[in-house]
Amino acid sequence: MMEPSKRVRSINLSEIRKMFEKADKNSINLGLGEPDFNTPKHIIEAASIAMREGFTHYTSNMGILELREAISKKLKIDNGIDAPPESILVTVGASEAIYMCMQALVDPGDEVLIPDPGFLSYKACVNLAGGVARGVHLKLDNDLRMTSEDITDAITDNTKAIVLNSPSNPTGSVMKKEDIKAIAEIADDNGIYLISDEVYEKIIYDTKHHSPAKFCENGITINGFSKSYAMTGFRIGYVSANSEIIEELLKIHQYTTACASSMVQKGALAALEGPQNSVDEMVSEFKRRRNLVVKRLDDIGIECIKPHGAFYVFPYVENPAEFIKKGLEKGVVMVNGGAFGIHGKNHVRLSYATSYVQLEEAMNRLESMNI
């Protein structure tokens, strides 16, 4: 009997996308993590010009040099990371970069420490590589932040890699500098890869982002343009690491996608080199929305840690399935926290990447549930 591979059968389709499909025209979708802002016009124009001028062919597998030079400059200024262009690989979104890392670095049986609750792609990509995903319990006592003590408790002789995600999807938590630095030292001391997913780096409030690769030799930095520049449909990202790691990642990239879209790379270049006021305006609005949602949930009596980054809240509820069901009946789409790991089971994730007016209405509907 014909069957798909055991690796593929071991994973499930995204719970986020399943909830997305349940939304109707009258629903307010708080399930999908996509900025509701339009891509800045100068980025669209740069990609359009590239197409009109015939820049529609394959590029270098690594990505166009101008973009990698701009990313190198960005990493130095924003993150304190010395990454020459040859240590940067342009990818089809941060999602491809995560997949590439697991395929290139993880052998069957290797353990990878991932946040729990954490972005659901981490576990799936580890499983597809034949690895073992071990969730690191993010505790309410620490505001759902990963700490160096969490890593020390979870690490074993089989640990091959550690995944960090700060600011976090789904919790919105932001790790402290001292924890990031300590985990970087743990990774170096034990010969462990440290993979840092920093796609929400720019969407941060009341605190500062710190990149692990600034503090360690085995640091791998993943980032993209989808969240910061409202470019989700462009599918463009990058990964930075030392030359030995990049060479291995390139093998996966060559045989899966060959190169990122040529004209989209020109749009990404415009995003980095052009005005940044759109990012500042977007973050300011996200902060306003965060404050609204946290306050309204508190008024309703739902326990919710105030997030310091990304555009999610991750409130505690005793019965998430019932809460989500009642929400759907009121036309509010949410995601069960259990989709993000066993330690997310008493939570739901709400995205506030939709308009302020829509969020007000969504909170009114949740309040009318009489929880």
Side-chain angles (χ1 to χ4, degrees):
M1 181 177 177
M2 296 176 63
E3 291 184 341
S5 73
K6 292 180 181 179
R7 294 190 310 281
V8 172
R9 280 184 285 160
S10 73
I11 65 173
N12 298 311
L13 291 171
S14 167
E15 288 294 328
I16 299 171
R17 289 291 171 174
K18 287 180 183 179
M19 294 306 299
F20 178 72
E21 297 298 329
K22 292 184 178 181
D24 60 34
K25 64 179 182 179
N26 296 315
S27 296
I28 301 173
N29 192 345
L30 305 185
L32 199 59
E34 179 176 35
D36 63 321
F37 300 92
N38 292 324
T39 306
K41 291 181 179 179
H42 69 280
I43 297 173
I44 294 173
E45 184 61 18
S48 299
I49 290 172
M51 285 188 283
R52 290 197 296 268
E53 292 182 349
F55 194 73
T56 57
H57 302 279
Y58 291 130
T59 72
S60 159
N61 294 133
M62 294 283 287
I64 60 174
L65 179 59
E66 306 97 293
L67 177 55
R68 289 185 286 122
E69 288 176 336
I71 294 169
S72 175
K73 182 178 179 181
K74 180 264 177 214
L75 288 171
K76 179 64 176 178
I77 294 172
D78 291 354
N79 307 94
I81 299 172
D82 290 314
E86 56 268 24
S87 71
I88 295 165
L89 176 56
V90 179
T91 62
V92 182
S95 295
E96 189 206 1
I98 295 167
Y99 177 81
M100 282 165 37
C101 285
M102 301 311 169
Q103 289 295 320
L105 306 177
V106 176
D107 284 317
D110 284 343
E111 294 181 356
V112 179
L113 303 184
I114 63 172
D116 184 356
F119 183 44
L120 44 82
S121 287
Y122 303 144
K123 182 178 180 180
C125 287
V126 172
N127 288 348
L128 285 170
V132 178
R134 293 195 62 210
V136 177
H137 184 189
L138 308 186
K139 304 175 184 68
L140 281 170
D141 290 348
N142 293 325
D143 293 338
L144 298 173
R145 287 181 289 100
M146 185 181 286
T147 68
S148 58
E149 289 80 9
D150 295 333
I151 294 298
T152 300
D153 292 342
I155 201 169
T156 74
D157 292 339
N158 295 321
T159 303
K160 187 69 171 289
I162 301 167
V163 176
L164 303 185
N165 178 217
S166 178
S168 162
N169 174 9
T171 69
S173 63
V174 177
M175 292 178 64
K176 292 184 177 180
K177 179 180 180 180
E178 53 264 36
D179 286 315
I180 289 174
K181 188 174 182 181
I183 293 170
E185 291 172 354
I186 291 169
D188 272 353
D189 290 344
N190 291 275
I192 295 170
Y193 294 113
L194 184 55
I195 303 168
S196 179
D197 178 358
E198 304 182 18
V199 292
Y200 295 97
E201 165 200 27
K202 298 283 187 183
I203 305 173
I204 195 165
Y205 330 105
D206 315 317
T207 187
K208 186 178 179 181
H209 172 74
H210 298 280
S211 294
K214 180 180 179 180
F215 306 110
C216 68
E217 296 178 0
N218 294 319
I220 301 169
T221 303
I222 293 173
N223 211 325
F225 298 82
S226 291
K227 313 301 182 181
S228 299
Y229 297 97
M231 292 172 64
T232 52
F234 283 68
R235 307 312 305 130
I236 186 79
Y238 59 89
V239 57
S240 169
N242 66 48
S243 57
E244 291 83 4
I245 294 173
I246 288 293
E247 184 175 349
E248 301 307 313
L249 298 180
L250 182 59
K251 295 175 185 177
I252 307 300
H253 182 65
Q254 282 183 336
Y255 293 116
T256 52
T257 58
C259 65
S261 167
S262 55
M263 67 288 295
V264 168
Q265 291 187 59
K266 289 290 189 178
L269 178 61
L272 290 178
E273 294 187 337
Q276 302 297 304
N277 58 298
S278 61
V279 179
D280 297 334
E281 291 167 2
M282 187 165 59
V283 172
S284 177
E285 175 60 15
F286 279 141
K287 184 176 181 179
R288 189 169 80 102
R289 296 175 186 180
R290 175 203 65 172
N291 292 343
L292 165 71
V293 172
V294 171
K295 182 180 185 305
R296 289 297 303 275
L297 289 175
D298 184 62
D299 290 344
I300 296 170
I302 298 174
E303 182 182 349
C304 180
I305 292 171
K306 189 174 186 178
H308 293 288
F311 37 67
Y312 309 104
V313 292
F314 202 63
Y316 177 90
V317 293
E318 289 188 4
N319 190 332
E322 184 66 19
F323 186 82
I324 290 169
K325 179 183 176 182
K326 289 182 177 180
L328 280 173
E329 291 170 355
K330 294 289 184 177
V332 180
V333 179
M334 299 169 284
V335 180
N336 195 316
F340 303 96
I342 60 173
H343 296 295
K345 63 183 179 180
N346 288 116
H347 295 262
V348 294
R349 191 192 76 169
L350 284 69
S351 167
Y352 49 89
T354 189
S355 74
Y356 195 92
V357 172
Q358 286 275 79
L359 289 170
E360 285 185 311
E361 174 59 22
M363 293 301 107
N364 289 340
R365 293 182 185 185
L366 293 183
E367 187 172 22
S368 71
M369 288 163 49
N370 298 316
I371 303 162

Short mmCIF file of all heavy atoms in Angstrom, two decimals, residues 313-348:
data_model
loop_
_atom_site.label_atom_id
_atom_site.label_comp_id
_atom_site.label_asym_id
_atom_site.label_seq_id
_atom_site.Cartn_x
_atom_site.Cartn_y
_atom_site.Cartn_z
N VAL A 313 -1.20 38.76 21.87
CA VAL A 313 -1.37 38.55 23.31
C VAL A 313 -1.69 37.07 23.50
O VAL A 313 -2.24 36.41 22.60
CB VAL A 313 -2.48 39.44 23.90
CG1 VAL A 313 -2.07 40.90 23.87
CG2 VAL A 313 -3.81 39.25 23.17
N PHE A 314 -1.34 36.57 24.68
CA PHE A 314 -1.46 35.12 24.93
C PHE A 314 -2.11 34.91 26.29
O PHE A 314 -1.51 34.41 27.23
CB PHE A 314 -0.06 34.51 24.89
CG PHE A 314 -0.02 33.03 24.60
CD1 PHE A 314 -0.50 32.52 23.40
CD2 PHE A 314 0.53 32.16 25.53
CE1 PHE A 314 -0.44 31.16 23.12
CE2 PHE A 314 0.60 30.79 25.27
CZ PHE A 314 0.11 30.29 24.06
N PRO A 315 -3.38 35.31 26.40
CA PRO A 315 -4.05 35.25 27.70
C PRO A 315 -4.30 33.83 28.19
O PRO A 315 -4.43 32.89 27.41
CB PRO A 315 -5.38 35.97 27.44
CG PRO A 315 -5.62 35.82 25.98
CD PRO A 315 -4.27 35.86 25.35
N TYR A 316 -4.37 33.72 29.51
CA TYR A 316 -4.66 32.45 30.17
C TYR A 316 -6.17 32.28 30.26
O TYR A 316 -6.89 33.17 30.71
CB TYR A 316 -4.05 32.44 31.57
CG TYR A 316 -4.37 31.18 32.37
CD1 TYR A 316 -3.53 30.09 32.30
CD2 TYR A 316 -5.51 31.11 33.16
CE1 TYR A 316 -3.82 28.93 33.01
CE2 TYR A 316 -5.81 29.96 33.87
CZ TYR A 316 -4.97 28.88 33.80
OH TYR A 316 -5.26 27.74 34.50
N VAL A 317 -6.66 31.12 29.81
CA VAL A 317 -8.07 30.77 29.97
C VAL A 317 -8.15 29.31 30.40
O VAL A 317 -7.35 28.48 29.97
CB VAL A 317 -8.89 31.00 28.67
CG1 VAL A 317 -8.97 32.48 28.33
CG2 VAL A 317 -8.30 30.23 27.50
N GLU A 318 -9.12 28.99 31.24
CA GLU A 318 -9.21 27.64 31.80
C GLU A 318 -9.61 26.60 30.75
O GLU A 318 -9.12 25.47 30.75
CB GLU A 318 -10.18 27.62 32.98
CG GLU A 318 -9.65 28.33 34.22
CD GLU A 318 -10.54 28.12 35.42
OE1 GLU A 318 -11.52 27.36 35.31
OE2 GLU A 318 -10.26 28.72 36.48
N ASN A 319 -10.49 26.99 29.86
CA ASN A 319 -10.98 26.04 28.84
C ASN A 319 -10.88 26.69 27.46
O ASN A 319 -11.85 27.25 26.95
CB ASN A 319 -12.43 25.64 29.14
CG ASN A 319 -12.90 24.49 28.29
OD1 ASN A 319 -12.42 24.27 27.17
ND2 ASN A 319 -13.86 23.73 28.80
N PRO A 320 -9.70 26.63 26.83
CA PRO A 320 -9.50 27.30 25.55
C PRO A 320 -10.46 26.84 24.45
O PRO A 320 -10.95 27.67 23.68
CB PRO A 320 -8.05 26.94 25.19
CG PRO A 320 -7.40 26.60 26.47
CD PRO A 320 -8.47 25.97 27.31
N ALA A 321 -10.73 25.54 24.38
CA ALA A 321 -11.60 25.03 23.32
C ALA A 321 -13.00 25.64 23.42
O ALA A 321 -13.58 26.07 22.41
CB ALA A 321 -11.69 23.50 23.40
N GLU A 322 -13.53 25.70 24.64
CA GLU A 322 -14.86 26.29 24.85
C GLU A 322 -14.83 27.80 24.59
O GLU A 322 -15.77 28.35 23.98
CB GLU A 322 -15.32 26.01 26.27
CG GLU A 322 -16.73 26.49 26.59
CD GLU A 322 -17.81 25.74 25.81
OE1 GLU A 322 -17.52 24.63 25.30
OE2 GLU A 322 -18.92 26.27 25.70
N PHE A 323 -13.76 28.45 25.02
CA PHE A 323 -13.61 29.89 24.82
C PHE A 323 -13.58 30.21 23.32
O PHE A 323 -14.24 31.14 22.85
CB PHE A 323 -12.32 30.35 25.50
CG PHE A 323 -12.11 31.84 25.49
CD1 PHE A 323 -12.73 32.65 26.41
CD2 PHE A 323 -11.27 32.42 24.55
CE1 PHE A 323 -12.53 34.03 26.41
CE2 PHE A 323 -11.07 33.79 24.53
CZ PHE A 323 -11.70 34.59 25.47
N ILE A 324 -12.82 29.44 22.57
CA ILE A 324 -12.70 29.67 21.13
C ILE A 324 -14.02 29.38 20.42
O ILE A 324 -14.43 30.11 19.51
CB ILE A 324 -11.56 28.81 20.54
CG1 ILE A 324 -10.21 29.35 21.03
CG2 ILE A 324 -11.60 28.78 19.03
CD1 ILE A 324 -9.05 28.43 20.75
N LYS A 325 -14.71 28.33 20.87
CA LYS A 325 -16.01 27.99 20.29
C LYS A 325 -17.02 29.12 20.49
O LYS A 325 -17.71 29.53 19.55
CB LYS A 325 -16.54 26.70 20.92
CG LYS A 325 -17.90 26.26 20.39
CD LYS A 325 -18.40 25.01 21.11
CE LYS A 325 -19.79 24.63 20.65
NZ LYS A 325 -20.32 23.45 21.38
N LYS A 326 -17.06 29.65 21.72
CA LYS A 326 -17.98 30.77 22.00
C LYS A 326 -17.58 32.00 21.21
O LYS A 326 -18.43 32.76 20.75
CB LYS A 326 -17.98 31.07 23.50
CG LYS A 326 -18.68 30.01 24.35
CD LYS A 326 -18.69 30.41 25.82
CE LYS A 326 -19.43 29.39 26.66
NZ LYS A 326 -19.43 29.77 28.10
N GLY A 327 -16.25 32.20 21.07
CA GLY A 327 -15.77 33.32 20.28
C GLY A 327 -16.22 33.22 18.83
O GLY A 327 -16.66 34.21 18.23
N LEU A 328 -16.13 32.02 18.25
CA LEU A 328 -16.57 31.82 16.87
C LEU A 328 -18.06 32.10 16.72
O LEU A 328 -18.50 32.66 15.71
CB LEU A 328 -16.26 30.38 16.43
CG LEU A 328 -14.82 30.09 15.99
CD1 LEU A 328 -14.64 28.60 15.74
CD2 LEU A 328 -14.47 30.88 14.74
N GLU A 329 -18.82 31.72 17.73
CA GLU A 329 -20.27 31.98 17.68
C GLU A 329 -20.55 33.48 17.68
O GLU A 329 -21.56 33.92 17.12
CB GLU A 329 -20.96 31.32 18.87
CG GLU A 329 -20.96 29.79 18.80
CD GLU A 329 -21.43 29.13 20.09
OE1 GLU A 329 -21.67 29.86 21.08
OE2 GLU A 329 -21.55 27.89 20.12
N LYS A 330 -19.63 34.24 18.27
CA LYS A 330 -19.77 35.70 18.29
C LYS A 330 -19.05 36.35 17.10
O LYS A 330 -19.05 37.57 16.96
CB LYS A 330 -19.20 36.27 19.59
CG LYS A 330 -19.96 35.86 20.84
CD LYS A 330 -21.32 36.56 20.92
CE LYS A 330 -22.02 36.24 22.22
NZ LYS A 330 -23.32 36.97 22.33
N GLY A 331 -18.40 35.52 16.28
CA GLY A 331 -17.71 36.06 15.11
C GLY A 331 -16.31 36.56 15.39
O GLY A 331 -15.84 37.47 14.72
N VAL A 332 -15.63 35.95 16.37
CA VAL A 332 -14.24 36.31 16.68
C VAL A 332 -13.38 35.06 16.53
O VAL A 332 -13.64 34.05 17.21
CB VAL A 332 -14.09 36.89 18.10
CG1 VAL A 332 -12.63 37.26 18.37
CG2 VAL A 332 -14.99 38.12 18.28
N VAL A 333 -12.39 35.11 15.66
CA VAL A 333 -11.53 33.96 15.39
C VAL A 333 -10.26 34.07 16.21
O VAL A 333 -9.57 35.10 16.17
CB VAL A 333 -11.18 33.86 13.89
CG1 VAL A 333 -10.25 32.67 13.63
CG2 VAL A 333 -12.44 33.75 13.05
N MET A 334 -9.93 33.02 16.98
CA MET A 334 -8.73 32.97 17.80
C MET A 334 -8.06 31.61 17.59
O MET A 334 -8.64 30.71 16.99
CB MET A 334 -9.07 33.18 19.28
CG MET A 334 -9.70 34.53 19.58
SD MET A 334 -10.40 34.64 21.27
CE MET A 334 -11.92 33.69 21.08
N VAL A 335 -6.85 31.45 18.10
CA VAL A 335 -6.11 30.20 17.95
C VAL A 335 -5.87 29.59 19.33
O VAL A 335 -5.46 30.30 20.27
CB VAL A 335 -4.75 30.42 17.24
CG1 VAL A 335 -3.99 29.10 17.09
CG2 VAL A 335 -4.96 31.06 15.87
N ASN A 336 -6.10 28.31 19.44
CA ASN A 336 -5.85 27.59 20.69
C ASN A 336 -4.36 27.59 21.00
O ASN A 336 -3.54 27.22 20.16
CB ASN A 336 -6.38 26.16 20.57
CG ASN A 336 -6.49 25.46 21.90
OD1 ASN A 336 -5.60 25.54 22.74
ND2 ASN A 336 -7.61 24.76 22.11
N GLY A 337 -4.02 27.97 22.22
CA GLY A 337 -2.62 28.00 22.61
C GLY A 337 -1.93 26.67 22.56
O GLY A 337 -0.71 26.58 22.43
N GLY A 338 -2.70 25.59 22.63
CA GLY A 338 -2.13 24.25 22.56
C GLY A 338 -1.46 23.96 21.24
O GLY A 338 -0.64 23.04 21.14
N ALA A 339 -1.79 24.74 20.20
CA ALA A 339 -1.14 24.56 18.90
C ALA A 339 0.33 24.91 18.96
O ALA A 339 1.12 24.49 18.10
CB ALA A 339 -1.84 25.43 17.84
N PHE A 340 0.72 25.66 19.99
CA PHE A 340 2.09 26.15 20.10
C PHE A 340 2.93 25.36 21.10
O PHE A 340 4.02 25.78 21.47
CB PHE A 340 2.08 27.63 20.47
CG PHE A 340 1.31 28.49 19.50
CD1 PHE A 340 -0.01 28.83 19.74
CD2 PHE A 340 1.91 28.92 18.33
CE1 PHE A 340 -0.73 29.60 18.84
CE2 PHE A 340 1.19 29.69 17.42
CZ PHE A 340 -0.12 30.03 17.67
N GLY A 341 2.42 24.22 21.54
CA GLY A 341 3.15 23.39 22.48
C GLY A 341 2.28 23.02 23.68
O GLY A 341 1.26 23.66 23.95
N ILE A 342 2.72 21.99 24.41
CA ILE A 342 1.89 21.50 25.52
C ILE A 342 1.73 22.55 26.62
O ILE A 342 0.75 22.55 27.36
CB ILE A 342 2.45 20.19 26.10
CG1 ILE A 342 3.88 20.39 26.64
CG2 ILE A 342 2.42 19.08 25.09
CD1 ILE A 342 4.41 19.17 27.39
N HIS A 343 2.70 23.46 26.74
CA HIS A 343 2.61 24.47 27.79
C HIS A 343 1.81 25.70 27.37
O HIS A 343 1.70 26.66 28.12
CB HIS A 343 4.01 24.86 28.26
CG HIS A 343 4.75 23.72 28.90
ND1 HIS A 343 4.34 23.14 30.08
CD2 HIS A 343 5.85 23.03 28.50
CE1 HIS A 343 5.17 22.14 30.39
NE2 HIS A 343 6.09 22.07 29.46
N GLY A 344 1.25 25.63 26.17
CA GLY A 344 0.33 26.68 25.74
C GLY A 344 -1.12 26.26 25.87
O GLY A 344 -2.02 26.98 25.47
N LYS A 345 -1.34 25.08 26.48
CA LYS A 345 -2.67 24.45 26.45
C LYS A 345 -3.74 25.23 27.19
O LYS A 345 -4.93 25.05 26.92
CB LYS A 345 -2.58 23.02 26.98
CG LYS A 345 -2.16 22.92 28.44
CD LYS A 345 -2.04 21.47 28.87
CE LYS A 345 -1.59 21.37 30.32
NZ LYS A 345 -1.46 19.96 30.76
N ASN A 346 -3.40 26.06 28.14
CA ASN A 346 -4.40 26.85 28.86
C ASN A 346 -4.39 28.31 28.44
O ASN A 346 -4.66 29.21 29.23
CB ASN A 346 -4.20 26.74 30.37
CG ASN A 346 -4.59 25.38 30.91
OD1 ASN A 346 -3.76 24.64 31.42
ND2 ASN A 346 -5.86 25.03 30.77
N HIS A 347 -4.06 28.51 27.17
CA HIS A 347 -4.00 29.87 26.62
C HIS A 347 -4.69 29.90 25.26
O HIS A 347 -4.96 28.88 24.64
CB HIS A 347 -2.54 30.31 26.43
CG HIS A 347 -1.77 30.44 27.70
ND1 HIS A 347 -1.58 31.64 28.33
CD2 HIS A 347 -1.14 29.51 28.46
CE1 HIS A 347 -0.85 31.45 29.43
NE2 HIS A 347 -0.58 30.16 29.52
N VAL A 348 -4.97 31.11 24.81
CA VAL A 348 -5.36 31.35 23.42
C VAL A 348 -4.47 32.46 22.89
O VAL A 348 -3.98 33.30 23.65
CB VAL A 348 -6.84 31.76 23.28
CG1 VAL A 348 -7.75 30.61 23.68
CG2 VAL A 348 -7.16 33.01 24.08
#
